[in-house]
Amino acid sequence: MRLLLNQIQPYPWGSPTAIAELTGRPNPDGGPQAELWMGAHPAAPSEVDAADGRVTLAAVIAADPEGQLGAGVLKRFGPRLPFLLKVLAARKALSIQLHPDRAGAESGFAAEEARGLPLKDPERVYVDDWPKPEVLCALTPFEVLAGLRPAAEAARVLAGLGLPELAPVCAVLAADPSPDTVAAALARLLSWPVAQRADLVARVVAAAAVAGAESGEFASAYEAVHRMSADHPGDIGLVCSLLLNHLVVEPGQALFMGAGGVHAYIQGTGVELMASSDNVIRAGLTPKHIDIPELLKVLDPTVPVPVLAAVAEGPGVEVFDTPVPEFRLRRITAGAPGTDALAVTVPGDGEPRILLCVDGAAELHGAGGETLALGKGASCFLGAEDVAVTVSGPGVLFLASPGI
């Protein structure tokens, strides 16, 4: 059992307060704090205390891959932790995006390597050869765009703005109700002539401000467009966002993003678990490169982006059902107000795991009598060799482990 020392990513869309409040670590400059990373990803690996000072979790795993990962994970994924756990705190909308499956990531990465495209080239799409499915469990109400609307609904939401420029797109959507039509509409908007784009976006934002103030069917989506325009002025993604389902994930619910499913986070704080990858294909609300042919290749307009409820798995343990091998997310409730602390057995013996305490406090007890205290916002790594671990509270924790 190893306490983790984690890095914060100061992306400009981040909240200046949410992660500081969760961890109790002051934000020294008051700037944005977007993501707290827990894992062994090379971009920002967690550290642990060792006899000769701090070392990265990646180094601990590299020194004893089977002892830390277990034979099954090592055989399937090689000597790397297959998942990355984060606290994500969005104050501004992130880019509209989607992620490849494993075969697509491997072929896309190989093709860009063969072209000799540097990893930091702004037109690079694939920075590694891994897929990037994700699950996000809301800690606060979390506003999102999730999956493409049905074609007829997409036609109605665009037509509701009353703009003649969008009439041809609406007509195509209304005439052909197939999911592929919505994907084609997304590509058409992203390809809007540059000389006419600023005017279209301005007119959409103005119309959305009016429609969002009314009580119509799509008022919340229109209002979100007007609000996001303050952070993404002139971005064609503001128009594209109307093709996506707009919803709020309530605390305790989770959103699963499988391969090919288009989505965007607008605002909120949550615990996110993903495969350990940085592959992102963007589709608006960003100044970064948008590769439309690759977007259409990866996009699966039929993929749902479902909201999940946790399912009881055992005493004090709930699981979010996500059908991917790289990760599984569980929520552990140890103890309850007014009762004695309930010791909960931590699932996953023989696998690598990360525990994050999000409320209250917890104490871990190992089979050999070792203990580790976790306060709110603290996290730890359990290697495959850490077996028969129990946790007592009162506290609420999230457990990340492989999905195999």
Side-chain angles (χ1 to χ4, degrees):
M1 300 188 295
R2 300 171 185 264
L3 189 68
L4 292 177
L5 305 164
N6 305 307
Q7 298 188 51
I8 294 173
Q9 301 285 27
Y11 305 138
W13 48 262
S15 164
T17 59
I19 290 177
E21 290 171 357
L22 176 69
T23 62
R25 291 164 50 183
N27 183 350
D29 60 8
Q33 294 184 321
E35 296 181 350
L36 177 71
W37 286 28
M38 291 155 280
H41 193 283
S46 300
E47 295 182 328
V48 299
D49 285 325
D52 54 351
R54 291 183 181 178
V55 298
T56 67
L57 181 58
V60 171
I61 292 170
D64 181 18
E66 185 163 348
Q68 299 304 320
L69 300 177
V73 170
L74 183 61
K75 180 179 180 180
R76 175 139 195 184
F77 300 111
R80 63 183 288 177
L81 191 65
F83 57 82
L84 176 64
L85 183 65
K86 299 180 179 180
V87 174
L88 189 148
R91 183 173 63 90
K92 303 177 182 179
L94 285 68
S95 62
I96 301 172
Q97 59 189 257
L98 64 158
H99 310 294
D101 61 14
R102 183 168 291 277
E106 289 174 350
S107 63
F109 181 77
E112 291 188 334
E113 288 288 279
R115 288 169 53 197
L117 202 61
L119 282 176
K120 294 189 179 297
D121 190 293
E123 295 194 1
R124 181 99 189 203
V125 175
Y126 296 95
V127 295
D128 56 58
D129 61 356
W130 267 48
K132 194 187 177 189
E134 305 170 349
V135 63
L136 173 82
C137 183
L139 296 178
T140 69
F142 210 120
E143 185 181 10
V144 301
L145 301 169
L148 291 174
R149 297 180 186 271
E153 184 178 298
R156 293 202 312 276
V157 71
L158 291 182
L161 296 172
L163 299 178
E165 302 96 315
L166 294 176
V169 181
C170 296
V172 172
L173 287 166
D176 182 355
S178 72
D180 287 339
T181 307
V182 191
L186 176 63
R188 182 170 180 173
L189 292 175
L190 288 172
S191 305
W192 206 267
V194 174
Q196 303 169 22
R197 190 172 297 181
D199 181 64
L200 173 68
V201 174
R203 287 170 58 79
V204 165
V205 169
V210 174
E214 300 172 351
S215 57
E217 180 183 8
F218 305 115
S220 62
Y222 294 141
E223 189 277 330
V225 168
H226 183 248
R227 180 162 27 93
M228 290 187 295
S229 69
D231 299 317
H232 298 280
D235 195 305
I236 193 65
L238 296 166
V239 188
C240 297
S241 73
L242 291 170
L243 298 178
L244 278 69
N245 299 300
H246 174 264
L247 64 149
V248 175
V249 183
E250 297 297 336
Q253 295 179 325
L255 188 74
F256 174 64
M257 285 71 68
V262 62
H263 60 278
Y265 301 140
I266 298 178
Q267 61 179 6
T269 301
V271 173
E272 185 181 41
L273 181 59
M274 62 181 63
S276 190
S277 169
D278 269 344
N279 284 323
V280 177
I281 296 115
R282 294 175 176 86
L285 301 182
T286 179
K288 295 182 179 179
H289 176 61
I290 297 175
D291 188 327
I292 296 175
E294 195 65 25
L295 167 68
L296 292 177
K297 179 180 175 182
V298 174
L299 174 63
D300 184 345
T302 67
V303 169
V305 184
V307 175
L308 307 175
V311 177
E313 187 179 54
V317 180
E318 301 168 290
V319 63
F320 295 95
D321 185 19
T322 50
V324 294
E326 291 84 7
F327 62 73
R328 177 173 289 117
L329 183 66
R330 294 180 174 93
R331 183 170 57 211
I332 294 176
T333 304
T339 67
D340 293 334
L342 170 67
V344 176
T345 299
V346 178
D349 282 1
E351 297 178 343
R353 291 150 290 169
I354 291 177
L355 271 169
L356 165 68
C357 182
V358 298
D359 194 23
E363 186 170 79
L364 276 65
H365 304 265
E370 63 274 24
T371 63
L372 180 66
L374 289 182
K376 181 180 177 181
S379 59
C380 70
F381 176 74
L382 304 180
E385 58 192 6
D386 291 310
V387 297
V389 176
T390 61
V391 56
S392 57
V396 177
L397 305 95
F398 281 90
L399 174 68
S401 66
I404 60 174

